[in-house]
Amino acid sequence: MFKLCVLILVMSIDKKEHIMDVAVALFAEKGYEGTSIRDLAHEADVNIAMINYYFGSKEKLFVALLESKARYMRERIDAVQNDASLTELEKLNQIIDGYVNRFLSQPAFHRVLQQELLVTNREILHQNVIELFTKNTQDVVSIIEKGVRKKIFKKVDPPLLFASIIGTINQVMLSRSMCNILMNKAPGTDPYQDPELKKRITQHIKQLVQDHLLIQPALQKQK
Amino acid sequence: MFKLCVLILVMSIDKKEHIMDVAVALFAEKGYEGTSIRDLAHEADVNIAMINYYFGSKEKLFVALLESKARYMRERIDAVQNDASLTELEKLNQIIDGYVNRFLSQPAFHRVLQQELLVTNREILHQNVIELFTKNTQDVVSIIEKGVRKKIFKKVDPPLLFASIIGTINQVMLSRSMCNILMNKAPGTDPYQDPELKKRITQHIKQLVQDHLLIQPALQKQK
DNA sequence: AAAAATTAATTAAACGTTTGTTTAATTCAA
DNA sequence: TTGAATTAAACAAACGTTTAATTAATTTTT
């Protein structure tokens, strides 16, 4: 009874968004192809026809969903990059903070994105995400290279270091049960809710990057 | 004409394996749900009914495929772990070599595995892979912890360091185009064929881990 | 302000495809 | 001649989508 009331309230605000929210959750759980419109309609408590009425088709719903939620990805690194008052390491640290925050704040959507990237065939998203990723990679790489030129950083493999940063976060988010194992939590719980997790991940990555980059880590630590 | 001959030759050796090989390639490209039995039959040049004749069902084919190919994952770390003649760092280095070799040697199957892990719903594989992953995580973690106790390693976050190792490889293999960007290659080429890639990844990860773990990296390097 | 007209939202039912699977007949090999 | 391998055809179920009818909301007219 209470659930019904909440549902009606939520739906009255914006039915389209309600459908999209349910879609993200279902796609994350079953995959895009694995989720039928009937599943979605039932779970969102709307008629099957409403989905095509609002979005046109299943694929268009998917695209709408991506464009709506992917905005949090588009926030570029420009701001950080052009801030002259920051050292290269500080820039990297801020970028790490940004990625961890964004990725962990929307685990379901993140999962949908990852799924889509692993399906080479479907071109809808691939192109867009790749493009964004290219830009981000180049930005981070150029920051690292600048640090290397300044002799602040050791000579490293910049693109692969970027892969390590992103890859660490992705790995933690790959599977809920995997995350629970990594975090030494009970198998059933939802690890992404824990604010401690975010802190732990950022700390680890920052330390990892710092150790890898700085020529005299001991000295830097003291400052 | 030549292609047809090769196909017949390959099929005559073992038709079941031929179907499974084509299935891995298709699943990797389109996903399990996105690949129809008709797709698969056409691509493998066999009758649709043959797939059910050999495997019983689409799902059983999938399980057979996983069990057949996943063996390369099951090769445990025991051998390395119990070798007393190796230092903790050397053990980690060997483990890194092992993961990079195994993951990069079968990129298509690796992609299928990753896809499956991202689908929370389907339980077929999840349980098995999780179980294996747990064991491997614990093994690597205990090696790191031993190094910490021996005061060879700094006090780090062992499970997250493991996540960084695996995550880096996974990140590189997430998308062919992404890998080409990371490797600064032409967009069309297949990066996983390049033997230089394997070398570069292992080198990077080993250096990353070493920098993160060793208390005096400068001294260690000289030895 | 009430009634009528118009537009939007919602529904159940049916549409044509495609899905995985099975059948029954046929070819092949032992 | 017997059993396995292979085929084309048909199967029911599920898929995304559309239709036509109905209800709700909004605007226009009186």
Side-chain angles (χ1 to χ4, degrees), chain B residues 137-153:
Chain B
T137 305
Q138 286 167 349
D139 287 350
V140 174
V141 164
S142 73
I143 291 174
I144 297 173
E145 282 174 344
K146 200 172 181 182
V148 173
R149 275 199 306 276
K150 283 187 180 175
K151 312 257 175 163
I152 302 167
F153 294 162

Side-chain angles (χ1 to χ4, degrees), chain B residues 1-219:
Chain B
M1 192 56 182
F2 173 70
K3 192 183 171 186
L4 187 70
C5 290
V6 171
L7 190 68
I8 291 168
L9 186 68
V10 168
M11 274 172 49
S12 67
I13 294 169
D14 197 335
K15 206 161 191 171
K16 264 184 100 168
E17 273 193 42
H18 171 63
I19 293 173
M20 281 165 65
D21 285 345
V22 177
V24 176
L26 282 182
F27 289 166
E29 193 185 332
K30 308 179 170 196
Y32 172 73
E33 306 271 6
T35 306
S36 73
I37 290 205
R38 281 169 182 81
D39 281 344
L40 175 54
H42 179 260
E43 204 72 23
D45 230 21
V46 296
N47 192 277
I48 318 164
M50 292 308 293
I51 289 154
N52 282 296
Y53 176 75
Y54 276 128
F55 297 96
S57 71
K58 190 190 177 186
E59 189 170 319
K60 281 178 187 168
L61 155 66
F62 192 51
V63 174
L65 192 153
L66 291 172
E67 285 184 350
S68 151
K69 293 236 172 188
R71 248 167 240 155
Y72 89 103
M73 277 283 282
R74 278 197 254 281
E75 293 159 18
R76 286 286 323 290
I77 316 175
D78 290 323
V80 174
Q81 200 184 7
N82 296 327
D83 191 336
S85 70
L86 295 172
T87 69
E88 274 68 34
L89 187 62
E90 285 168 340
K91 283 180 185 176
L92 288 181
N93 281 339
Q94 286 204 13
I95 289 169
I96 291 167
D97 277 326
Y99 274 115
V100 173
N101 277 325
R102 276 177 283 167
F103 284 7
L104 266 83
S105 67
Q106 302 206 47
F109 178 65
H110 185 263
R111 190 174 295 260
V112 175
L113 267 184
Q114 294 287 104
Q115 283 174 15
E116 207 50 24
L117 282 174
L118 281 168
V119 181
T120 324
N121 180 255
R122 202 156 39 232
E123 303 259 328
I124 321 171
L125 158 81
H126 224 80
Q127 209 64 22
N128 290 332
V129 177
I130 294 295
E131 204 172 309
L132 180 69
F133 184 79
T134 314
K135 202 100 186 66
N136 286 353
T137 305
Q138 286 167 349
D139 287 350
V140 174
V141 164
S142 73
I143 291 174
I144 297 173
E145 282 174 344
K146 200 172 181 182
V148 173
R149 275 199 306 276
K150 283 187 180 175
K151 312 257 175 163
I152 302 167
F153 294 162
K154 285 186 279 185
K155 281 180 188 165
V156 296
D157 195 324
L160 279 183
L161 180 54
F162 182 62
S164 291
I165 295 171
I166 305 293
T168 302
I169 313 174
N170 283 343
Q171 183 65 28
V172 173
M173 303 196 69
L174 187 62
S175 159
R176 200 184 305 188
S177 20
M178 275 200 184
C179 188
N180 280 326
I181 291 164
L182 284 175
M183 293 298 125
N184 209 6
K185 288 201 164 198
T189 52
D190 183 0
Y192 307 118
Q193 302 287 7
D194 190 352
E196 205 63 27
L197 173 64
K198 198 182 277 186
K199 213 167 133 190
R200 212 175 130 190
I201 296 174
T202 48
Q203 262 180 9
H204 163 74
I205 298 179
K206 283 179 184 176
Q207 191 64 51
L208 190 74
V209 170
Q210 182 176 309
D211 291 345
H212 187 57
L213 282 175
L214 293 189
I215 297 172
Q216 295 146 311
L219 282 174

Side-chain angles (χ1 to χ4, degrees), chain A residues 160-175:
Chain A
L160 279 184
L161 180 53
F162 182 61
S164 291
I165 295 170
I166 305 292
T168 302
I169 313 174
N170 283 344
Q171 183 64 28
V172 174
M173 303 196 70
L174 187 63
S175 160

